[in-house]
Amino acid sequence: EKQGFKHYMLKEIYEQPGVVRTCLEVYLRPEWEPQAPYSPVQLGLAPAVLADLEFIQIVACGTSWHASLVGKYLLEQLANIPTSVQYASEFRYAPPPLLPNTLTIGVTQSGETADTLAALEMELSRRQGLEPPLSARLLGITNRPESTLGQLVPAIIDTHAGIEIGVAATKTFVAQLMAFYLLSLELAWQRQTLGGDRLAELVAGLRQLPAQIELILESQERYIEALSHDFSDTQDFIFLGRGINFPIALEGALKLKEISYIHAEGYPAGEMKHGPIALLDAKVPVVTIAMPGSVFEKVLSNAQEARARDARLIGVTPMAEVEAQHTFDDLLPVPEVDELLSPILTVIPLQLLAYHIAARRGLDVDQPRNLAKSVTVE
Ligand code: M6R
């Protein structure tokens, strides 16, 4: 069943190009052109779910919460809709005031996470008696439409990743990112917040992602496996990112914590100097995501601050960037793409790094201690 892979997690990492391809096949109209009088995206949602939105609030836990943070960035930047993301376990006991024309999205790959379900139940109950369009504005993003979530909310985006066995979410995360790209592009089309050319550029960029993920897997796995030997005794890691790649720093840290039991923290790179920099010395590797775009130079200078504290610097960055090559001790190269699409690539080396460090330590990667695949208790 593992098809020759040592662990399900590694198999699922390798399934990611196929997962992205499936999402593109299911949800993008192949014949769409920029001049077409219809959207490039077909999510099959009732019009009332997305019409006239003024605000979006997202609830989720763990890795799904990280995908939602990327989603917030996309919904705000592409569709111009203010969006908040909350931990479901926090939202359920202190939901923010309900604004008119708010869409609430619950993101849960399993569709069974108790806190996320409770947050959505709370949202449903406080919407009781409101006009149908308002009560209809509840959407689930899940890998299991047949789950409890699927029965609770009136609308679903199915992430089509196939069953995920490894406790550490990998392919379902990438599929959730795809759901947010598609939702944001659909809303951008409906609200005309992007020109036809920009929309076409992003659609074309999405279509290239599967081959680009394949390239990262093919070119880097051996190198990352070898690199992982250097961290046999490492006790702490810092992950830095900014903008749309800040949530990927959080995700890289969570993957490492979960399966290797190494303490790891993700930070927005600009926050380093407000405290965490005090942790740095030669024993704490710093993994920095530095993708060309709005914050590239800023991130590099944040990484250089870490270098001044003797930290070993590992960079997730395009190979062609000379300045980045000079900044980092180790490079985990990814293709250069539109900044907005980059999280789906930058997460791949971080998944491989977490996997190989944990596998090298001889740990039970697929069933880490104290963790369950879905957390069905509060
Ligand atoms: O099934 P869900 O997406 O609701 O699960 C949420 C979290 O429990 C889950 O993402 C957890 O953080 C993973 N083990 C992360 O790898």
Side-chain angles (χ1 to χ4, degrees):
E1 264 188 67
K2 291 182 201 148
Q3 292 164 6
F5 290 97
K6 197 166 170 211
H7 295 99
Y8 283 108
M9 182 180 173
L10 192 59
K11 170 176 170 269
E12 288 158 0
I13 288 173
Y14 272 82
E15 281 169 355
Q16 294 178 118
V19 167
V20 173
R21 258 183 211 113
T22 303
C23 287
L24 295 173
E25 275 162 24
V26 174
Y27 293 121
L28 277 187
R29 291 195 168 89
E31 77 292 352
W32 181 83
E33 290 175 3
Q35 300 78 18
Y38 50 84
S39 166
V41 182
Q42 43 184 7
L43 292 172
L45 300 173
V49 181
L50 302 184
D52 306 320
L53 292 184
E54 289 173 58
F55 188 62
I56 296 178
Q57 57 187 16
I58 311 178
V59 293
C61 304
T63 285
S64 297
W65 185 76
H66 298 155
S68 305
L69 290 177
V70 175
K72 166 187 159 72
Y73 202 95
L74 297 171
L75 291 162
E76 291 184 342
Q77 302 304 315
L78 297 176
N80 204 28
I81 307 174
T83 302
S84 79
V85 182
Q86 276 177 283
Y87 286 118
S89 56
E90 294 294 321
F91 181 98
R92 63 183 291 190
Y93 293 114
L98 183 57
L99 299 170
N101 295 325
T102 294
L103 171 69
T104 300
I105 309 180
V107 184
T108 161
Q109 78 80 21
S110 64
E112 303 296 347
T113 297
D115 283 322
T116 308
L117 294 175
L120 292 170
E121 272 159 13
M122 142 80 75
E123 191 61 15
L124 268 172
S125 75
R126 70 174 175 159
R127 287 178 183 227
Q128 292 284 321
L130 298 174
E131 282 299 296
L134 198 53
S135 60
R137 291 186 193 283
L138 235 79
L139 172 66
I141 296 181
T142 186
N143 202 37
R144 294 190 58 243
E146 71 285 8
S147 61
T148 309
L149 173 88
Q151 284 143 41
L152 192 66
V153 294
I156 283 285
I157 299 177
D158 181 351
T159 54
H160 289 287
I163 184 160
E164 186 176 67
I165 292 175
V167 163
T170 52
K171 64 175 179 170
T172 55
F173 174 72
V174 156
Q176 288 169 346
L177 294 186
M178 286 305 293
F180 277 117
Y181 284 117
L182 295 159
L183 179 64
S184 305
L185 290 183
E186 171 63 20
L187 282 164
W189 186 83
Q190 286 187 15
R191 302 160 74 93
Q192 306 208 327
T193 50
L194 293 179
D197 289 348
R198 178 67 178 135
L199 202 54
E201 196 174 87
L202 289 166
V203 168
L206 284 177
R207 293 194 192 283
Q208 285 173 17
L209 290 172
Q212 289 167 331
I213 300 172
E214 265 156 14
L215 183 71
I216 298 172
L217 292 170
E218 278 163 20
S219 61
Q220 275 194 63
E221 208 209 325
R222 285 236 182 103
Y223 176 73
I224 292 177
E225 184 177 10
L227 185 69
S228 72
H229 293 199
D230 292 1
F231 304 119
S232 324
D233 300 320
T234 304
Q235 290 181 359
D236 307 275
F237 261 86
I238 302 278
F239 289 76
L240 301 179
R242 265 180 109 137
I244 199 164
N245 276 300
F246 161 52
I248 303 304
L250 297 178
E251 176 62 5
L254 179 63
K255 288 290 90 100
L256 190 66
K257 277 185 265 211
E258 270 190 301
I259 59 171
S260 73
Y261 316 145
I262 296 174
H263 168 240
E265 295 198 45
Y267 268 99
E271 276 295 299
M272 275 292 286
K273 55 186 172 298
H274 298 288
I277 201 160
L279 295 171
L280 295 188
D281 61 24
K283 286 193 252 138
V284 183
V286 176
V287 181
T288 305
I289 304 157
M291 294 302 283
S294 54
V295 287
F296 185 53
E297 299 294 333
K298 300 281 170 201
V299 175
L300 289 182
S301 81
N302 296 138
Q304 279 147 11
E305 289 158 18
R307 168 180 292 288
R309 274 82 196 170
D310 295 331
R312 177 163 174 182
L313 295 188
I314 302 161
V316 177
T317 191
M319 196 49 131
E321 289 296 335
V322 178
E323 200 183 342
Q325 281 183 31
H326 290 143
T327 301
F328 297 110
D329 301 303
D330 308 281
L331 288 179
L332 306 181
V334 291
E336 185 167 347
V337 288
D338 193 297
E339 187 180 21
L340 291 180
L341 301 178
S342 66
I344 221 160
L345 301 182
T346 54
V347 75
I348 309 291
L350 303 188
Q351 294 169 342
L352 287 172
L353 186 66
Y355 171 78
H356 280 295
I357 291 176
R360 166 117 192 114
R361 292 185 171 209
L363 299 170
D364 189 350
V365 173
D366 288 331
Q367 294 270 301
R369 68 186 183 201
N370 308 340
L371 292 173
K373 182 65 185 160
S374 53
V375 184
T376 54
V377 292
E378 184 172 1

